[in-house]
């Protein structure tokens, strides 16, 4: 994951229009980028997205709730831990993704569930989100996570492949950063007065995870710009979905 210093440096002091202009100048030749930029710009009018960016993960638990008391782990967490490197620095030897990236599925589900129920979360709430089918559907079905398709079987092989992924080229990695920083720009210019860097870091890592899942599902060992667009669209769809159906 890129550090907060990198994100803020990449962000600069551009206005939203300047940020969009630069993004389109660098990536506008890629099919689907213009539509994705427009969808992200619409977030500045989204009350759901505003609420989501203001969620403080350290403040959403009921007093005394300790998620480490959940003794069992879902199979996707176990397989990620067993088959992906947890070395803290991502290198050409470890691949782009590790077990902690896989857990980011749950970060956004917990946040969305917190907003949905309108109260602090209990241990039973965390069990509900952790063991729901939605994290698996997001990784294996991607944009079809809310479809009528059956939830795929979780296999160790999927996570072995996920843990070995690299970028297909520099443009793919830079595109994911650029779109994430467009959202950071929107946050800072639309709702000033808060440090949104942690939110942006989580968004960048989660969308990179789903881009990686797209590559594995399509049988590739490199994350392409097309995969990056898939990962970004999954995120936009997720934050606009009533997740209660899948919990």
């Amino acid at each position: 994951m890129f550090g907060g210093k990198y994100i803020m440096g990449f962000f600069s002091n551009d206005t939203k229009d300047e940020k969009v202009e630069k993004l389109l100048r660098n990536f506008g030749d890629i099919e689907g980028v213009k539509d994705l930029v427009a969808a992200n710009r619409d977030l500045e009018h989204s009350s759901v997205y505003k609420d989501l960016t203001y969620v403080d993960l350290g403040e959403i638990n009921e007093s005394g709730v300790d998620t480490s008391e959940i003794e069992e782990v879902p199979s996707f967490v176990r397989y990620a831990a067993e088959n992906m490197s947890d070395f803290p620095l991502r290198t050409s030897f470890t691949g782009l993704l590790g077990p902690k990236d896989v857990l980011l599925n749950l970060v956004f589900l917990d946040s969305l569930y917190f907003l949905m129920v309108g109260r602090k979360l209990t241990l039973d709430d965390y069990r509900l989100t952790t063991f729901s089918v939605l994290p698996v559907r997001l990784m294996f079905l991607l944009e079809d996570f809310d479809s009528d398709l059956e939830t795929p079987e979780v296999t160790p092989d999927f996570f072995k492949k996920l843990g070995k992924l690299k970028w297909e080229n520099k443009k793919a990695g830079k595109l994911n950063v650029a779109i994430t920083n467009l959202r950071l720009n929107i946050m800072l210019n639309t709702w000033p007065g808060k440090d949104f860097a942690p939110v942006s870091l989580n968004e960048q890592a989660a969308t990179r995870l789903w881009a990686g899942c797209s590559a594995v599902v399509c049988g590739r060992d490199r994350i392409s710009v097309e995969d990056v667009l898939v990962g970004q669209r999954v995120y936009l769809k997720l934050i606009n979905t009533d997740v209660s159906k899948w919990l």
Side-chain angles (χ1 to χ4, degrees):
M1 185 185 304
F2 295 107
K5 181 178 179 181
Y6 180 89
I7 278 194
M8 295 307 293
F10 190 96
F11 166 72
S12 75
N13 293 316
D14 294 337
T15 66
K16 283 175 281 189
D17 288 339
E18 289 170 335
K19 179 61 69 178
V20 168
E21 182 181 344
K22 286 184 179 179
L23 196 155
L24 292 179
R25 186 167 61 246
N26 292 326
F27 305 102
D29 60 317
I30 301 170
E31 184 177 356
V33 165
K34 292 180 181 178
D35 290 339
L36 189 62
V37 167
N40 275 281
R41 291 212 65 173
D42 286 342
L43 291 176
E44 63 186 287
H45 308 296
S46 169
S47 60
V48 174
Y49 187 63
K50 177 183 179 181
D51 290 344
L52 181 64
T53 61
Y54 274 90
V55 170
D56 183 342
L57 293 171
E59 299 293 331
I60 67 174
N61 298 353
E62 276 196 358
S63 177
V65 168
D66 181 0
T67 56
S68 66
E69 294 180 14
I70 302 177
E71 296 177 355
E72 296 183 43
V73 296
S75 58
F76 76 89
V77 173
R78 185 173 72 254
Y79 289 152
E82 292 172 350
N83 295 283
M84 301 175 74
S85 171
D86 62 355
F87 190 69
L89 297 177
R90 312 316 301 166
T91 70
S92 59
F93 298 102
T94 62
L96 289 169
L97 300 165
K100 290 182 180 179
D101 296 298
V102 173
L103 288 173
L104 279 173
N105 275 283
L106 298 176
V107 170
F108 289 106
L109 293 190
D110 291 336
S111 298
L112 289 169
Y113 186 69
F114 167 73
L115 294 175
M116 185 180 72
V117 298
R119 57 167 173 75
K120 293 197 173 185
L121 303 183
T122 67
L123 202 57
D124 285 338
D125 291 324
Y126 279 107
R127 288 192 178 98
L128 186 65
T129 56
T130 301
F131 290 95
S132 73
V133 297
L134 191 49
V136 173
R137 294 182 68 85
L138 286 166
M139 288 187 290
F140 285 76
L141 296 178
L142 300 161
E143 293 177 85
D144 291 325
F145 72 83
D146 63 342
S147 70
D148 292 330
L149 293 171
E150 287 190 17
T151 302
E153 178 185 359
V154 179
T155 64
D157 188 58
F158 181 89
F159 295 93
K160 288 179 183 177
K161 294 176 180 177
L162 194 64
K164 295 177 181 178
L165 289 173
K166 311 258 188 322
W167 293 116
E168 184 177 63
N169 49 46
K170 290 182 179 179
K171 195 166 190 176
K174 289 180 178 179
L175 175 59
N176 201 53
V177 174
I179 297 173
T180 304
N181 277 283
L182 173 60
R183 283 196 296 271
L184 178 58
N185 188 295
I186 289 170
M187 288 183 239
L188 292 172
N189 283 285
T190 308
W191 311 298
K194 175 178 166 60
D195 177 13
F196 290 105
V199 177
S200 190
L201 283 167
N202 283 339
E203 286 184 342
Q204 183 178 309
T207 52
R208 185 181 58 195
L209 167 69
W210 293 319
C213 291
S214 173
V216 173
V217 168
C218 293
R220 295 189 291 271
D221 62 359
R222 294 288 187 274
I223 302 174
S224 67
V225 292
E226 290 79 16
D227 295 318
V228 169
L229 296 180
V230 169
Q232 293 287 343
R233 290 196 297 264
V234 169
Y235 179 64
L236 292 177
K237 189 172 186 177
L238 175 63
I239 63 178
N240 287 292
T241 296
D242 179 1
V243 299
S244 60
K245 176 181 178 181
W246 307 105
L247 301 179

